[in-house]
Structures are given as C-alpha cells and as structure tokens.
Amino acid sequence: MRKTSYMLLVAMMAVTLLLSACGGSGNNGNGNQTGAADGEGTASEQKVKLSLLSWNNETEMKPVIDGFTKKYPNITIDFQTAPPVKDYIAKLQTMLLSNSATDVFIMAAENRNELIDGGYALDLTDQPFMSQMTDASKGMFTRDGKTYAFSQAGWVGGIYYNKDLFAKVGVTEEPKTWQEFIDLCLKLKEAGIVPLYDNAGDISTIQGALVASMTLSNDPEYDAKLFTGEKTFADGWSEPLKLWKEGLVDNGIIDSGMIGLTGDQIVNEFAVGNVAMIQGGPWNIPAIEKANPELQFSMMAVPGVEPGQEFYAGAPNVGFAVNSKSKNQDAALKFVEYLSTPEGLELFEKGTGQIITVAGYESKVHPALEKAYKEGLLAGKFYLPMVSWPRHQEALRNQMVVSVQDLLVGKGSPEDVTKALDQKLKEMESK
C-alpha cells in the first residue's frame, strides 16, 4: 500500500514538473507571455494596444510608429489624429471629459494649462529620457518644478532676406544692430527696392524679439511678473514698440497698405524678388522654392540695440504627454522614451520634417536655416510671447495685433498699445 502511494506521489510530481516546464517564461496559459522586455526581442511582454492622439497626420507619424512597433512587437498602436489647433484641442477635451482619452496625447502651448491643472498628464520629471530635452523646451511644459511632456523638436523664425537684392545695394553682411537694420532698409528703399513686407498680423517676430533683447535680457522673469501684477505691459513693451514704430513706421519702411496682404501673397512677393525681406519660418520654404527654385535667400535674427542682442522667434514644438489615468502607462512611457532615441528621432524627423532639438542630435535643416537653427534654436536665443504668457494667450495676442495695426494707420501711440494690453489682461484675470 505504501509503495502504491509512493509511486502515485512520484507520478504527480512528474506531471507538475512537466506542466511547469511547458509554461516557462511566464506563460499565462493564453499564449501571452509576461516579463520585462529589453527592447531587443530577448523577452516578450503581454500584448498591449496603445492609443495615441496627435495633430500630426498618419503619414507624418507612420515612420516612427513603424519603428516603435518593430522594436516592441507586443505593442500595437491605435493612432488617432485631429488637425491643429482648435480641432485637436476640442477633440482631446471631449475625450478627457468622457474618460476616453488616449494613452498618449500631445500637449501644446494652447492647452498646457488645462492639461496640467486638470491632472490629466503624468509627471515625467524623473524619467531618464527627460534629460534629453533642452532647458528651453522644458520650460514650456513645466509647472512648479515638474515637467509633464517630452518635446524633441522646435521651430525657429526670423527675417528671410534676398541675397541678390542685398548685393544690389552693396550689402554682403547681415546687420548687427537695430540701427544698422534700419539703415539697410532705407538704403534699399532709396534704390527703389521694397525693403520689408509686414502686415502686422504676427507680433511674435520683430516686436517680440525687441522685447526679448530690451526687456527680458535685463529681467528674465518679466513675463512671470506680468501675470502676478508686479510688472505691466507698459513696463516691458513701451520702449520696444517705440523703437519699432520710429524705425519702421515713421521712416515709411512699412505702411498701412500692407495690412491687407495675406501670408501667401507676402511669401510669393518675396519668392519672385519684389521685396527684399519678410518675416517667416520653416513652413514658408516649400512655397518659396516652388515659386522660385533659383532664389538665393537666408534667414537672419532681429538685431538688438547693441551687437549680440539679436533674437529669433521660436518655441518648442508640442510635447508628448502620458495620460495620468492610462492603464497602459508602461507601454506609453516606452513610446515617449523611443522618441528620445537616435532611431526614434531620425524617424520622427523623416516623417514630420520638424527640427530636432535633443542634445547630441544634429537635425537636417535647409541651408537658409542653418544659422537660425544653431545660433538661435539650439542656443535658446528665441522668444515667443504666446508661449511665455502663462494664460490668456489668444486674447492678448488678438488685442496686440489690433493695437499694432492701429499704429500702422497712424492711430494712437505705443503707450496706447500697452494701456490697451494692460486693460485686457486685467479684464481677463477678473473673469
């Protein structure tokens, strides 16, 4: 009897060992394997369907998604998109309010406050890949020392100039000071060349750069103080606007007739050689080259009062955030981490054409943007008011455009502009 019991026990142990061996590597019985993946296929994880919402379209995101899913074959991507800016923000907000938001979504300057204040975005501060971001990029997505999105790209804008038209008036070097810039404009004007087109619809390039060089260079915390009531628009914008008006408006370099010009008209007039300079960014290059493939042009910064005080317009691009309520946070973090790797950066650049700002990665930019990229974007010598303003960005921007256009038609003064802005900020803060 004892022998029979002993043999039965041995048989049971053998069956147990056999089953254990067949179920090795964490097999859970349904064909999915668990265990930490190392990204090189040596260990597998459970099947995961990761959802992603972006305002880049599917064609733009395909290279990086294909690269990611090849590296992590257990993860599939449910990709969704909505065009910027208004449609994307509305779609994401609807999803958040209905608890159906994607695992990963993008955070922009226009919705960062709502996402951070609402607790919708995971704190990424201590994630190792965050060390790849430049300090300038982190600033847009940081609140109280915590960073909530990863941005690996940025844009830079400045003044495009026609090299051949400059050469016609004997100019071979970019102006180093604001006065040299005005002198150049007057020299072009005297030669019968339209110096600059400006419809005053974009206050972020010339006026913003003057604020950066004249105000922020002396008080880097000016924008923060503006929204705590320690400073006013009159404190920081009056002198730059006076310089802008005296140099460009009072000298007849730009006038009210330009207000009716559309962005496409301005770019086309530059491309065909009817104007020496325009404000612009990377998005203008395809249209310029399509209209005139032979045009010799480049981009320069807006000069400051003194040499070395020049600034570009620019900002970090949107950041990728992880849904704080996601059930797939590990996979979501893997996706954001992948965007920081050389492979992910190269594929993201290939698909979107965006300028990469991650430390140690040299982006492939158009020759006209080489200087702006290296001395502006990577060096942090750029400024965009709407990014630095923590709230009411669109209301303040609209007020500024209207007020600056008033200056172009001879209505009001720079003091009137800043007075209107201070009143608008007070109005918005009281709501």
Side-chain angles (χ1 to χ4, degrees):
M1 189 70 177
R2 288 180 182 176
K3 184 176 180 180
T4 302
S5 299
Y6 174 76
M7 292 302 294
L8 180 60
L9 178 61
V10 170
M12 290 175 65
M13 290 176 63
V15 171
T16 300
L17 289 171
L18 178 62
L19 288 174
S20 177
C22 292
S25 302
N27 192 297
N28 57 17
N30 62 6
N32 291 332
Q33 293 183 321
T34 60
D38 61 7
E40 300 300 332
T42 59
S44 299
E45 290 184 344
Q46 245 179 343
K47 299 290 184 182
V48 176
K49 189 173 186 180
L50 186 71
S51 54
L52 166 65
L53 176 65
S54 172
W55 71 28
N56 293 106
N57 61 41
E58 190 167 6
T59 299
E60 293 171 331
M61 290 297 293
K62 188 177 188 304
V64 76
I65 289 174
D66 287 350
F68 175 76
T69 52
K70 181 179 180 180
K71 184 171 185 177
Y72 297 103
N74 63 298
I75 303 176
T76 57
I77 301 287
D78 172 19
F79 179 75
Q80 301 178 49
T81 184
V85 172
K86 184 178 179 181
D87 290 348
Y88 172 82
I89 290 177
K91 179 170 183 174
L92 177 58
Q93 185 68 11
T94 299
M95 297 174 82
L96 290 168
L97 293 176
S98 62
N99 291 317
S100 60
T102 53
D103 300 306
V104 180
F105 48 76
I106 61 170
M107 181 183 292
E110 294 85 351
N111 69 347
R112 59 181 170 166
N113 292 328
E114 291 78 6
L115 294 175
I116 294 172
D117 292 342
Y120 297 117
L122 190 69
D123 175 12
L124 302 181
T125 309
D126 295 328
Q127 295 296 325
F129 57 79
M130 295 298 283
S131 63
Q132 300 288 90
M133 282 179 72
T134 63
D135 289 339
S137 295
K138 286 181 181 178
M140 190 167 106
F141 305 105
T142 297
R143 174 82 61 79
D144 299 327
K146 296 181 179 180
T147 309
Y148 295 88
F150 174 78
S151 175
Q152 76 280 52
W155 67 270
V156 63
I159 300 175
Y160 283 121
Y161 63 93
N162 183 318
K163 293 181 179 181
D164 292 334
L165 292 182
F166 272 28
K168 280 188 177 182
V169 294
V171 175
T172 57
E173 293 185 356
E174 298 172 1
K176 295 180 174 61
T177 67
W178 178 255
Q179 189 56 55
E180 288 182 8
F181 174 67
I182 298 302
D183 291 342
L184 167 62
C185 289
L186 292 172
K187 181 178 280 192
L188 289 163
K189 187 179 178 183
E190 289 169 6
I193 299 169
V194 179
L196 173 72
Y197 268 161
D198 184 354
N199 64 6
D202 181 0
I203 48 83
S204 64
T205 303
I206 294 181
Q207 295 94 334
L210 289 175
V211 169
S213 61
M214 298 177 70
T215 300
L216 294 173
S217 293
N218 297 317
D219 185 2
E221 299 301 316
Y222 165 75
D223 279 324
K225 293 175 182 177
L226 183 62
F227 284 80
T228 61
E230 299 173 67
K231 293 288 184 179
T232 65
F233 276 100
D235 294 329
W237 281 75
S238 290
E239 291 305 313
L241 285 175
K242 284 180 185 177
L243 194 68
W244 173 81
K245 180 178 180 296
E246 290 170 358
L248 296 178
V249 182
D250 295 350
N251 281 313
I253 294 167
I254 61 175
D255 57 48
S256 59
M258 297 179 187
I259 293 176
L261 295 172
T262 67
D264 289 342
Q265 286 175 315
I266 290 173
V267 170
N268 188 66
E269 288 292 286
F270 176 74
V272 298
N274 290 338
V275 60
M277 292 179 284
I278 62 171
Q279 301 171 74
W283 52 86
N284 299 129
I285 289 179
I288 292 171
E289 294 196 322
K290 182 178 180 181
N292 186 0
E294 304 303 319
L295 184 69
Q296 297 298 306
F297 68 102
S298 191
M299 177 185 283
M300 67 179 182
V302 178
V305 177
E306 301 293 337
Q309 292 181 343
E310 69 278 359
F311 272 84
Y312 293 87
N317 273 1
V318 296
F320 286 83
V322 174
N323 188 341
S324 62
K325 296 181 180 179
S326 168
K327 295 180 180 179
N328 299 311
Q329 285 187 2
D330 287 346
L333 288 169
K334 280 185 172 61
F335 180 79
V336 180
E337 179 185 34
Y338 180 73
L339 292 172
S340 74
T341 64
E343 177 184 300
L345 292 168
E346 184 176 353
L347 293 174
F348 185 80
E349 181 183 27
K350 176 183 177 182
T352 65
Q354 293 182 17
I355 301 174
I356 303 301
T357 57
V358 163
Y361 185 96
E362 186 167 342
S363 205
K364 303 174 184 67
V365 301
H366 188 279
L369 297 176
E370 281 284 352
K371 184 178 178 182
Y373 168 53
K374 293 178 179 178
E375 298 182 15
L377 191 59
L378 293 184
K381 292 212 62 172
F382 61 85
Y383 175 62
L384 188 72
M386 288 75 72
V387 169
S388 293
W389 295 337
R391 51 190 178 273
H392 317 312
Q393 295 96 335
E394 197 58 22
L396 291 170
R397 179 189 178 280
N398 289 337
Q399 178 62 61
M400 187 169 289
V401 168
V402 170
S403 297
V404 167
Q405 288 184 348
D406 282 345
L407 293 182
L408 267 181
V409 299
K411 180 181 176 182
S413 65
E415 289 81 7
D416 292 326
V417 175
T418 56
K419 183 178 179 180
L421 285 165
D422 282 323
Q423 182 59 39
K424 175 59 71 172
L425 178 56
K426 183 178 180 181
E427 172 192 324
M428 296 303 297
E429 292 284 76
S430 65
K431 289 184 178 180

